[in-house]
Amino acid sequence: MTVNGEAAETSERLLYEDGQLRISQRARCEVPALALRGEVDITNSCALARTLAAAREGETHIIVDTGELTFVDLSGLRVLAMPMLDPADRWIRLRNLTPFQRHILKLLGWS
């Protein structure tokens, strides 16, 4: 990726890993994002919620890249989509959703 003709540096810092899910923080220029890899289910959705909340650190929102998730169950979707909050109060911005993730969120009325 280039910005103003210069290569943008990408750094990555591991925030959480349990053998099933890996959460890393990526910083590209001035846009921090969290990348999720692997699977989210009932066994690690609480850890996902804690990690996302800790990464927020006063920011108005955070960007979460879900493109490398191979599985996410309803407990994980609840963490990511924040359906109980008014849309204006949701502080997670999902990026790089797979077509399946988009379809499930639409079926649930959470898109």
Side-chain angles (χ1 to χ4, degrees):
M1 179 168 89
T2 61
V3 176
N4 297 329
E6 296 179 21
E9 291 189 29
T10 301
S11 63
E12 186 171 303
R13 181 172 60 106
L14 181 63
L15 300 179
Y16 175 85
E17 187 169 33
D18 65 9
Q20 183 172 297
L21 174 65
R22 178 182 174 91
I23 305 172
S24 57
Q25 185 173 23
R26 295 178 181 167
R28 289 190 177 111
C29 298
E30 296 179 15
V31 183
L34 299 184
L36 308 181
R37 268 186 226 124
E39 300 180 358
V40 178
D41 63 21
I42 192 70
T43 66
N44 58 16
S45 59
C46 287
L48 171 62
R50 283 190 306 272
T51 304
L52 293 176
R56 184 178 180 201
E57 295 180 13
E59 297 291 328
T60 57
H61 71 274
I62 60 171
I63 297 169
V64 178
D65 183 329
T66 63
E68 294 185 61
L69 280 181
T70 56
F71 176 82
V72 58
D73 74 356
L74 189 56
S75 67
L77 286 174
R78 283 186 181 129
V79 170
L80 296 170
M82 306 176 98
M84 302 307 283
L85 294 178
D86 184 86
D89 296 330
R90 295 177 188 160
W91 49 269
I92 294 174
R93 304 292 187 264
L94 299 175
R95 297 289 184 268
N96 202 19
L97 290 162
T98 66
F100 180 74
Q101 292 165 359
R102 286 184 197 280
H103 182 69
I104 293 295
L105 289 172
K106 185 176 178 180
L107 284 175
L108 293 169
W110 297 352
S111 55

